[in-house]
């Protein structure tokens, strides 16, 4: 990869980062091509972008967007999950990891704050909006008619 290609990669990743306020850093070591394809498909269906990138180029793009706190986690095979909806992306990550034990989350950036892999896992366990509304309606119904 020559200097111009590297610069184009950094610029395109920077543009993606500007549109995505939430970033999860993943390690996809041990994933077969079939599993990776399925993982990307699930993320795409959820409206989430997944980018496999060289660590040095990711560091440059993150720095260009003023994102700090993820540099120490950019080692080894790295994939970035870029999303506008932190819960949906965390849910897809958690469900896929539960099913196939990969990928692992190294760290995340949610609303400008660095978060641990455990935090990302907990975000993925929050029920969807529809489920929460149904639970509230069920509770109100139970209070009114019991």
């Amino acid at each position: 990869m020559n200097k111009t290609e590297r610069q184009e990669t950094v610029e395109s990743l920077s543009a993606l980062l500007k549109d995505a306020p939430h970033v999860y850093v993943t390690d996809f070591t041990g994933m077969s091509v079939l599993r990776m394809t399925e993982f990307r498909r699930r993320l795409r269906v959820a409206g989430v972008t997944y980018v496999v990138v060289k660590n040095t180029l990711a560091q440059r793009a993150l720095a260009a967007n003023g994102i700090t706190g993820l540099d120490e986690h950019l080692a080894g095979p790295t994939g970035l999950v870029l999303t506008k909806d932190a819960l949906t992306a965390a849910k897809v990550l958690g469900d896929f990891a539960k099913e196939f034990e990969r990928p692992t989350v190294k760290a995340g950036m949610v609303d400008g704050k660095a978060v641990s892999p455990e935090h990302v896992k907990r975000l993925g366990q929050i029920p969807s909006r529809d489920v929460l509304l149904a639970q509230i309606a069920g509770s109100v119904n139970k209070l009114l008619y019991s």
Side-chain angles (χ1 to χ4, degrees), residues 80-138:
L80 298 178
V81 176
L82 308 168
T83 183
K84 293 180 181 181
D85 183 3
L87 297 179
T88 303
K91 188 171 289 302
V92 172
L93 273 168
D95 291 346
F96 198 85
K98 192 182 300 180
E99 192 175 341
F100 298 109
E101 299 179 7
R102 297 275 188 259
T104 56
V105 176
K106 296 180 188 179
M109 183 69 66
V110 177
D111 292 328
K113 296 179 183 170
V115 295
S116 68
E118 293 79 26
H119 185 87
V120 176
K121 183 178 180 181
R122 281 184 282 150
L123 283 175
Q125 294 170 345
I126 295 174
S128 69
R129 182 177 188 273
D130 293 336
V131 171
L132 289 173
L133 289 173
Q135 289 173 345
I136 291 170

Side-chain angles (χ1 to χ4, degrees), residues 36-112:
M36 181 64 91
T37 304
E38 176 64 17
F39 179 60
R40 286 177 183 254
R41 187 190 66 73
R42 289 185 190 183
L43 288 171
R44 196 174 320 113
V45 166
V48 178
T49 304
Y50 188 73
V51 182
V52 174
V53 63
K54 288 187 174 188
N55 294 324
T56 55
L57 300 180
Q59 287 171 339
R60 290 179 191 169
L62 290 168
N65 283 291
I67 299 173
T68 59
L70 295 179
D71 288 348
E72 63 198 45
H73 302 287
L74 296 174
T78 302
L80 298 178
V81 176
L82 308 168
T83 183
K84 293 180 181 181
D85 183 3
L87 297 179
T88 303
K91 188 171 289 302
V92 172
L93 273 168
D95 291 346
F96 198 85
K98 192 182 300 180
E99 192 175 341
F100 298 109
E101 299 179 7
R102 297 275 188 259
T104 56
V105 176
K106 296 180 188 179
M109 183 69 66
V110 177
D111 292 328

